[in-house]
Amino acid sequence: MEIVNPKTLTDQVTSVISHVVVTTASKLAFISGQVAVDETGALVGSRDYYAQAIQVFTNLKYALEAVRADPLYIAKMNIFVVNHHPALISIIFDAGFHVFGSNWPKTASTYIGVQALADPEWLIEIDAIVIFP
């Protein structure tokens, strides 16, 4: 995977994402939107963005482990946040760094504020596209 952050695009966001990811991978994994439920289906972190983000990123990590993919193999990630406001950005990314540590994927990403998700108690949903070298 080649990470491209051209000088003609701002570097204000490249500490957490990459502007462009180029790959010639022949095998891909598409991870469905992960939400803040544990393996039993119980909600984690009712009305708590940080607790939900920890569970969502943990579920994403479990999905990656299931297909034996390193987090750095994520080519694209979409982050959906209910009732987004600017203060939530650091809360969500701090949770991601807590879960992934130095393996945080600086991938092509889209952060989208939404009115609601499929369940009214869910505050965050993240899906991903993974490449295999």
Side-chain angles (χ1 to χ4, degrees), residues 53-89:
I54 291 285
Q55 185 64 48
V56 171
F57 282 113
T58 298
N59 289 348
L60 180 60
K61 185 176 180 180
Y62 291 157
L64 291 166
E65 290 170 355
V67 296
R68 295 179 301 284
D70 188 284
L72 301 177
Y73 294 177
I74 296 174
K76 175 75 169 117
M77 187 167 37
N78 293 309
I79 303 170
F80 303 92
V81 180
V82 172
N83 297 322
H84 166 72
H85 54 85
L88 290 174
I89 295 170

Side-chain angles (χ1 to χ4, degrees), residues 80-128:
F80 303 92
V81 180
V82 172
N83 297 322
H84 166 72
H85 54 85
L88 290 174
I89 295 170
S90 63
I91 290 169
I92 298 224
F93 282 100
D94 286 350
F97 286 115
H98 175 81
V99 172
F100 289 108
S102 63
N103 279 334
W104 171 255
K106 289 185 185 176
T107 185
S109 297
T110 302
Y111 183 110
I112 306 163
V114 296
Q115 180 180 358
L117 295 170
D119 184 297
E121 293 188 288
W122 298 344
L123 300 175
I124 302 162
E125 184 168 349
I126 300 175
D127 65 26

Side-chain angles (χ1 to χ4, degrees), residues 2 4 10 15 27 40-41 47 52 63-64 76 100-101 114 119:
E2 178 186 1
V4 180
T10 182
S15 66
K27 182 178 177 182
T40 69
R47 296 187 298 271
Q52 286 205 15
L64 291 166
K76 175 75 169 117
F100 289 108
V114 296
D119 184 297

